[in-house]
Amino acid sequence: MRSNYLFTSESVSEGHPDKVADQISDAIVDLFLAKDPEARVACETLCTTNRVVLAGEIRGRGIYDAASGWAPGIPEEIEAAVRATVRRIGYEQDGFHWETLEFANYLHGQSSEIAMGVDASGNKDEGAGDQGIMFGYATDETPDLLPATLYYSHRILERMAADRRSGTAPFLEPDAKSQVTLRYEDGVPVAATALVVSTQHKKGYAEKGENADPARYAELRDYVTGVLRETLPTSFVGDDTTVYINPTGAFEIGGPDGDAGLTGRKIIVDTYGGAAPHGGGAFSGKDPTKVDRSAAYVARYLAKNVVAAGLAKRCTIQLSYAIGVAEPLSLYVDLHGTEANGTTAARLEEVLPTLVSLTPRGIRTHLSLNKPIYAPTAAYGHFGRAAEGDRFSWERTDLVERLRAAL
């Protein structure tokens, strides 16, 4: 394992077109779960210039019936949820406006063949909503046990979004991206070598082009530089840190007007910034019977508790499932040579399934996932967030003492 290297992660803001799509999809998941905790949802969103399109499969009491279609008022609630999400993000632009955008709903009933495999019946436990592999990861690089490169990429954009909303930075628009490159020595992050922020802005704040205004660009540049210095540790940012702010020179046309957005296209931003493997499945728009989501959450939960318990400095966990089958097909643990206190990966593979049922229903019950808790996950990462009641329950470290005792 290399100990000295450079590593980079990126994040995108809530106004990035793909994240707009993710947030709309999860708003629909929350809408349906609020009506029926056992609802089945697979909602994909396309957003482009002044248009939002939904497609996918749904099932739920009081929502959709295979024979009669939508329950009264549901189509109107769906559209209202879409417009409310776009408005909350902050889009009131000519090319994408919550009030004037065209909306189309192509959601339809869930396939009876999928339902047959997933639903519990007789002696058959509820099966996984799909096959696949899912990963969880934790590292002691940050207090939230996330890779430092991703942690700071998220925090930069969260701070800028807060300043945009409060009026502290009125020149900002919703779309933005960040990227953080850190130098690691002996496996520990010690300095930022490169920082990149591209943020949509109001007219006049460009460095180049017909709307360029040097004084206003300097205001934006100085603001972003200040955010970088205030977000990262003081020792990380120095004279040898290369900083790029809107390197194209202008970023006025952004969001879905500048680039189409689709659900599930920011899966590395959503997880570990490239520091850990990814099974390939997206999270947003899926109810928790879909193990792409729920099993990835429980894998993070288990890995985080292993690191929080001091059993290793890094931990990767893989789970695999088959559609319609309840129990996972495999559980794999990798401690990356950082194990402590006599811990072994093989022993953890024996112990972890005794602490948490890894069936789809067991995961949902343990983490309280059958609730409308998903909209906040769809921007700034699904992991490394503060657990608040049932929200981000997979970030709890309540297995620490049981893990220590079991080992």
Side-chain angles (χ1 to χ4, degrees):
M1 182 174 63
R2 293 177 61 193
S3 57
N4 299 319
Y5 52 90
L6 300 181
F7 194 78
T8 303
S9 296
E10 70 160 349
S11 182
V12 298
S13 73
E14 64 213 61
H16 185 281
D18 293 330
K19 277 290 143 199
V20 174
D22 283 345
Q23 289 166 93
I24 290 172
S25 290
D26 273 341
I28 302 306
V29 172
D30 283 354
L31 173 67
F32 290 170
L33 288 179
K35 295 178 179 298
D36 178 6
E38 299 294 328
R40 302 290 190 261
V41 189
C43 177
E44 308 293 345
T45 300
L46 161 69
C47 51
T48 184
T49 301
N50 259 339
R51 186 182 295 272
V52 171
V53 180
L54 303 187
E57 298 186 328
I58 57 92
R59 176 162 62 96
R61 295 186 301 272
I63 300 169
Y64 189 94
D65 180 78
S68 57
W70 294 108
I74 296 298
E76 292 78 10
E77 289 189 55
I78 292 171
E79 181 170 353
V82 169
R83 294 188 186 278
T85 300
V86 175
R87 185 179 189 180
R88 174 186 56 75
I89 294 168
Y91 276 112
E92 296 185 342
Q93 301 170 1
D94 290 341
F96 197 68
H97 195 297
W98 64 271
E99 194 169 29
T100 60
L101 64 83
E102 296 183 35
F103 172 68
N105 175 17
Y106 294 104
L107 293 168
H108 57 79
Q110 184 186 49
S111 162
S112 60
E113 293 177 345
I114 293 176
M116 177 176 61
V118 175
D119 291 351
S121 62
N123 294 324
K124 174 185 175 297
D125 193 4
E126 178 184 291
D130 203 351
Q131 72 174 46
I133 57 176
M134 301 85 205
F135 289 90
Y137 179 72
T139 172
D140 67 356
E141 291 178 18
T142 64
D144 290 336
L145 305 188
L146 271 188
T149 48
L150 181 66
Y151 174 85
Y152 293 117
S153 294
H154 285 326
R155 300 295 88 79
I156 290 165
L157 296 183
E158 282 186 304
R159 163 69 184 279
M160 291 172 62
D163 288 348
R164 171 172 60 87
R165 288 198 166 89
S166 70
T168 301
F171 41 79
L172 297 180
E173 295 284 14
D175 195 358
K177 301 179 76 171
S178 64
Q179 187 169 283
V180 173
T181 300
L182 298 182
R183 185 174 77 252
Y184 285 70
E185 296 179 357
D186 296 326
V188 177
V190 297
T193 61
L195 302 171
V196 184
V197 173
S198 295
T199 179
Q200 187 186 15
H201 54 78
K202 296 187 183 302
K203 288 185 178 180
Y205 288 86
E207 181 184 19
K208 303 174 184 177
E210 61 180 354
N211 292 322
D213 183 320
R216 286 185 172 182
Y217 172 73
E219 181 184 2
L220 182 149
R221 180 200 62 212
D222 292 347
Y223 162 77
V224 174
T225 301
V227 169
L228 295 175
R229 291 188 176 277
E230 293 169 16
T231 302
L232 277 77
T234 303
S235 60
F236 276 30
V237 183
D239 293 339
D240 57 348
T241 303
T242 302
V243 177
Y244 297 96
I245 299 172
N246 285 2
T248 64
F251 189 178
E252 292 178 6
I253 302 171
D257 187 30
D259 191 10
L262 293 170
T263 303
R265 287 205 302 193
K266 286 292 174 283
I267 58 177
I268 299 303
V269 171
D270 284 344
T271 53
Y272 307 105
H278 195 296
F283 301 157
S284 291
K286 299 176 181 178
D287 75 78
T289 66
K290 278 72 170 175
V291 283
D292 277 342
R293 183 166 218 161
S294 56
Y297 286 176
V298 82
R300 160 65 177 177
Y301 173 66
L302 296 175
K304 184 173 183 179
N305 275 270
V306 168
V307 175
L311 304 178
K313 296 175 71 64
R314 294 171 59 204
C315 178
T316 298
I317 290 178
Q318 185 204 57
L319 293 166
S320 69
Y321 291 84
I323 188 168
V325 179
E327 293 289 343
L329 306 183
S330 64
L331 165 64
Y332 166 78
V333 177
D334 185 356
L335 303 178
H336 305 278
T338 67
E339 53 267 38
N341 301 315
T343 306
T344 66
R347 179 60 180 150
L348 284 172
E349 289 169 356
E350 296 174 354
V351 167
L352 292 174
T354 71
L355 302 181
V356 180
S357 168
L358 297 178
T359 66
R361 183 172 294 279
I363 295 169
R364 297 203 319 277
T365 300
H366 189 89
L367 297 179
S368 301
L369 297 182
N370 280 95
K371 296 180 179 180
I373 57 174
Y374 296 104
T377 69
Y380 310 115
H382 292 246
F383 307 127
R385 312 286 288 277
E388 301 173 0
D390 293 324
R391 289 184 174 182
F392 301 102
S393 57
W394 49 93
E395 292 298 306
R396 298 189 309 237
T397 54
D398 52 0
L399 288 183
V400 165
E401 295 306 322
R402 293 173 63 192
L403 263 172
R404 289 171 176 164
L407 295 172

